[in-house]
């Protein structure tokens, strides 16, 4: 028999850790190859971890709600001794065979044994390159660049007013030079500054798993009766720098005085709430509106949608058409496709369109169509349908929701005619498309003005007034409307 170490796999360039949500298998259960062993959650998406091998689950090395680093061993699976040879050792994780151990029968500490086993097998483990090639933090003068900060450290730094530049100058004692909570608190004490609170203690502030790029604090909710919310306490396990344990009270519904309910937010709702508050605190929002006559577009789609579905096996909705118009307008006004870093404006070369997608549980996720300017309308249609379907079935990967440069949200799918959307940081603009309504409108004809029934819709563009002024924002949304209004009714696909 052989024992196979299952590692937490790489889930994207920006993902360094994940939270164990649920174990699908218990010790003693048999696991088929490619069968899901557990469900995990990151700051980006929720996903499953499959087993590359068949065998019996011997040991679970992490508990539910533990926060585990990418590359950490999460389980041990007992496989048939000859299975590896038959598969040419095509596993992605180290395999330790008891029958091949030739070390003297002397006891060694668990740490020494694990270290020796890892070193002995590292050079012969196929697929070990699944782990992220993490760039070591390097000291430039007194700065530690390319260093990962945990959500807790970023949260403390934000509350104490420590900038990213100052954070990069603090030496860390954690693994790979990481800055720990204790390092940061010690730094605050040494510079003669008393932290505003005792971190790591239960308090009335929720401290869920924040996105490493955005860590705002949710706005307080005032009610007639103060209710202590369920707490989530993140603490480091002694003797293990790579694993943190999160102790979180389960979501619950509590009746207060029989007249109100207190419903604890789930993990994704907390992230959404924090991201929205952070965006409003970061960007001065301005919204411009324009009404577009999309009669020709509606009639064209009605004519081609059935034949398109028969030929391509895909339904063509209005969303890819809107995205195509947005991409064209971005090419005309490239300063919409930027982000802000302090006093620097970062102009994006790629046009990656984020599309807000409502989930069946009432939450929201924003998958990204990468390099949308290189896709045809057919390609955009397939990309939209694929991402929307995988989003609703919880099959997105972390890379599917990163690197967006502009966001489109279709509020018309809920019957809304317009909206004032919140910018998806670190982007600087978001377009909301409203419902298409039949309305009487004045049109110009060779015989003069006339009133006719037309298909009209509103476009609402929210933009960051730090870098986008009214002229640019208004011109951009008007250009999108023009591309929709001037749709070629004879266009073929």
């Amino acid at each position: 028999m052989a024992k196979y170490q299952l590692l937490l796999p790489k889930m994207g360039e920006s993902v360094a850790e994940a939270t164990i949500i649920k174990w699908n298998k218990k010790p003693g259960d048999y696991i088929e190859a490619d069968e899901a062993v557990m469900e995990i959650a990151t700051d980006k998406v929720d996903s499953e971890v499959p087993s590359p091998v068949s065998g019996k689950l011997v040991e679970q090395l992490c508990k539910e709600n533990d926060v585990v680093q990418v590359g950490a061993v999460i389980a041990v699976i007992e496989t048939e001794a000859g299975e590896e040879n038959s598969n040419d050792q095509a596993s992605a994780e180290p395999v330790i065979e008891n029958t091949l151990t030739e070390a003297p029968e002397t006891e060694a500490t668990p740490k020494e044994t694990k270290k020796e086993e890892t070193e002995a097998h590292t050079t012969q483990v196929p697929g070990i390159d699944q782990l992220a090639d993490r760039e070591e933090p390097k000291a430039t003068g007194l700065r530690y660049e390319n260093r990962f900060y945990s959500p807790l450290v970023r949260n403390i730094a934000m509350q104490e007013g420590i900038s990213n530049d100052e954070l990069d100058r603090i030496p860390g004692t954690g693994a790979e030079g990481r800055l720990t909570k204790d390092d940061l608190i010690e730094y605050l004490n040494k510079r003669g500054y008393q932290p505003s609170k005792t971190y790591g203690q239960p308090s009335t502030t929720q401290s869920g798993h924040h996105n490493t790029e955005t860590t705002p604090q949710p706005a307080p909710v005032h009610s007639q009766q103060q209710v202590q919310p369920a707490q989530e306490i993140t603490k480091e396990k002694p003797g293990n720098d790579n694993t943190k344990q999160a102790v979180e009270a389960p979501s619950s519904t509590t009746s207060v005085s029989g007249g109100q309910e207190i419903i604890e937010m789930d993990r994704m709702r907390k992230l959404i709430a924090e991201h929205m508050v952070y965006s409003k605190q970061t960007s001065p929002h301005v919204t411009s509106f324009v009404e577009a006559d999309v009669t020709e577009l509606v009639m064209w789609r009605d004519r081609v949608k059935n034949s398109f579905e028969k030929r391509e096996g895909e339904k063509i909705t209005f969303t890819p058409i809107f995205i195509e118009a947005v991409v064209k307008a971005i090419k005309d006004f490239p300063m919409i496709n930027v982000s802000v870093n302090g006093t620097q404006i970062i102009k994006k070369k790629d046009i990656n369109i984020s599309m807000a997608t409502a989930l069946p549980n009432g939450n929201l996720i924003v998958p990204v169509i990468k390099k949308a300017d290189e896709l045809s309308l057919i390609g955009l249609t397939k990309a939209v349908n694929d991402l929307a379907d995988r989003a609703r079935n919880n099959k997105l990967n972390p890379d599917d929701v990163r690197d967006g440069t502009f966001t489109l949200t279709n509020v018309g799918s809920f019957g809304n005619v317009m909206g004032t959307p919140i910018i998806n940081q670190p982007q600087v603009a978001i377009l909301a498309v409203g419902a298409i309504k039949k309305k009487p409108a004045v049109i110009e004809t060779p015989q003069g003005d006339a009133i006719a029934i037309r298909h009209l819709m509103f476009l609402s563009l929210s933009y960051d007034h730090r870098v986008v002024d009214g002229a640019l924002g208004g011109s951009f949304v008007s250009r999108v409307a023009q591309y929709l209004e001037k749709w070629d009714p004879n266009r073929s696909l």
Side-chain angles (χ1 to χ4, degrees):
M1 302 298 286
K3 290 188 177 180
Y4 178 96
Q5 289 185 329
L6 179 64
L7 308 184
L8 184 66
K10 177 182 176 182
M11 295 166 288
E13 295 179 8
S14 64
V15 179
E17 60 186 18
T19 303
I20 309 299
I21 297 179
K22 177 185 177 183
W23 280 94
N24 296 333
K25 296 293 183 178
K26 302 187 296 293
D29 289 351
Y30 188 81
I31 303 172
E32 298 288 350
D34 296 326
E35 187 176 6
V37 178
M38 63 167 59
E39 297 177 10
I40 61 173
T42 71
D43 288 340
K44 305 291 185 182
V45 295
D46 296 348
S47 59
E48 297 177 339
V49 176
S51 171
V53 300
S54 300
K56 182 174 69 173
L57 180 62
V58 176
E59 185 179 5
Q60 297 175 344
L61 300 180
C62 306
K63 298 179 180 179
E64 292 183 1
N65 294 323
D66 279 4
V67 179
V68 184
Q69 298 295 310
V70 168
V73 181
I74 54 179
V76 177
I77 301 173
E78 190 175 68
T79 65
E80 296 295 332
E83 181 177 341
E84 303 155 54
N85 297 331
S86 63
N87 293 332
D88 294 328
Q89 292 186 349
S91 63
E93 290 80 26
V95 178
I96 303 174
E97 297 190 37
N98 296 335
T99 58
L100 297 181
T101 303
E102 299 179 359
E105 295 181 358
T106 57
E107 293 186 1
T109 62
K111 290 185 178 179
E112 291 174 348
T113 303
K114 186 174 181 180
K115 180 178 180 181
E116 291 172 1
E117 290 171 348
T118 302
E119 291 176 351
H121 291 276
T122 298
T123 58
Q124 59 183 352
V125 177
I128 196 68
D129 56 357
Q130 70 152 338
L131 303 181
D133 296 329
R134 298 181 190 170
E135 188 173 358
E136 293 290 333
K138 56 184 180 180
T140 306
L142 294 177
R143 290 174 57 85
Y144 295 81
E145 300 177 350
N146 304 316
R147 183 164 64 176
F148 171 80
Y149 296 108
S150 69
L152 180 60
V153 168
R154 285 191 175 274
N155 190 28
I156 295 173
M158 185 200 68
Q159 293 189 34
E160 303 299 342
I162 298 177
S163 65
N164 287 335
D165 183 71
E166 184 177 0
L167 207 58
D168 288 340
R169 298 179 186 275
I170 305 174
T173 61
E176 300 178 351
R178 286 177 59 180
L179 185 69
T180 67
K181 177 196 71 174
D182 293 336
D183 294 333
L184 183 53
I185 293 177
E186 182 180 359
Y187 170 78
L188 291 171
N189 292 330
K190 281 185 177 180
R191 76 173 187 178
Y193 181 83
Q194 183 66 28
S196 61
K197 60 180 285 188
T198 302
Y199 297 96
Q201 304 280 339
S203 66
T204 56
T205 302
Q206 297 175 3
S207 60
H209 303 297
H210 307 294
N211 187 301
T212 58
E213 297 177 357
T214 58
T215 55
Q217 291 302 303
V221 179
H222 301 285
S223 63
Q224 295 178 355
Q225 180 172 352
Q226 295 295 326
V227 178
Q228 180 75 7
Q231 303 301 320
E232 180 180 311
I233 307 168
T234 302
K235 60 181 180 182
E236 296 184 1
K237 289 184 179 179
N240 190 341
D241 294 331
N242 295 327
T243 306
K244 294 181 298 181
Q245 184 178 21
V247 182
E248 182 176 3
S251 298
S252 60
T253 302
T254 305
S255 176
V256 180
S257 303
Q260 27 183 342
E261 277 186 331
I262 304 299
I263 301 174
E264 179 69 17
M265 294 183 185
D266 60 24
R267 187 191 64 86
M268 182 174 285
R269 176 49 54 186
K270 289 178 184 178
L271 290 173
I272 295 171
E274 292 164 3
H275 193 56
M276 295 298 97
V277 172
Y278 173 74
S279 181
K280 294 293 285 187
Q281 292 174 342
T282 300
S283 300
H285 282 55
V286 178
T287 306
S288 295
F289 304 89
V290 67
E291 191 174 29
D293 185 338
V294 293
T295 304
E296 296 293 344
L297 169 59
V298 172
M299 296 176 66
W300 173 85
R301 176 181 170 273
D302 287 342
R303 188 172 65 253
V304 305
K305 63 181 182 181
N306 291 332
S307 60
F308 182 88
E309 183 175 1
K310 289 181 181 178
R311 186 179 76 246
E312 302 294 337
E314 301 276 352
K315 291 184 178 181
I316 182 169
T317 64
F318 287 107
T319 298
I321 299 173
F322 296 148
I323 291 176
E324 183 185 65
V326 166
V327 168
K328 291 180 179 179
I330 288 177
K331 291 180 178 179
D332 296 339
F333 300 96
M335 289 307 292
I336 283 287
N337 201 50
V338 303
S339 63
V340 180
N341 180 24
T343 58
Q344 298 175 329
I345 300 175
I346 302 173
K347 190 175 179 181
K348 307 291 186 177
K349 178 182 178 181
D350 294 334
I351 300 177
N352 300 332
I353 304 299
S354 306
M355 58 175 209
T357 305
L359 300 178
N361 62 4
N363 286 323
L364 177 73
I365 199 166
V366 190
V368 179
I369 300 176
K370 306 291 179 62
K371 297 185 178 181
D373 54 317
E374 299 180 3
L375 297 177
S376 64
L377 184 56
I378 295 177
L380 288 173
T381 300
K382 292 182 177 180
V384 166
N385 292 344
D386 172 62
L387 288 174
D389 181 68
R390 287 196 287 128
R392 295 186 182 105
N393 289 284
N394 200 27
K395 298 295 183 182
L396 288 176
N397 299 316
D399 282 342
D400 291 328
V401 293
R402 64 187 298 267
D403 295 334
T405 61
F406 184 95
T407 298
L408 175 80
T409 177
N410 189 348
V411 299
S413 59
F414 309 108
N416 304 139
V417 295
M418 65 176 65
T420 55
I422 298 176
I423 298 168
N424 183 18
Q425 297 293 327
Q427 301 169 20
V428 299
I430 177 173
L431 179 69
V433 291
I436 299 174
K437 300 287 187 179
K438 290 182 180 181
K439 297 180 182 178
V442 176
I443 59 174
E444 296 180 356
T445 69
Q447 292 77 31
D449 293 342
I451 296 178
I453 302 299
R454 309 292 291 177
H455 291 84
L456 303 177
M457 66 177 297
F458 282 100
L459 307 177
S460 313
L461 180 74
S462 292
Y463 47 92
D464 188 339
H465 212 334
R466 293 179 300 172
V467 292
V468 180
D469 293 326
L472 174 57
S475 299
F476 174 82
V477 69
S478 294
R479 185 63 54 88
V480 175
Q482 290 172 16
Y483 281 123
L484 296 176
E485 290 180 333
K486 295 180 179 179
W487 191 265
D488 181 5
N490 300 314
R491 179 173 176 173
S492 60
L493 290 174

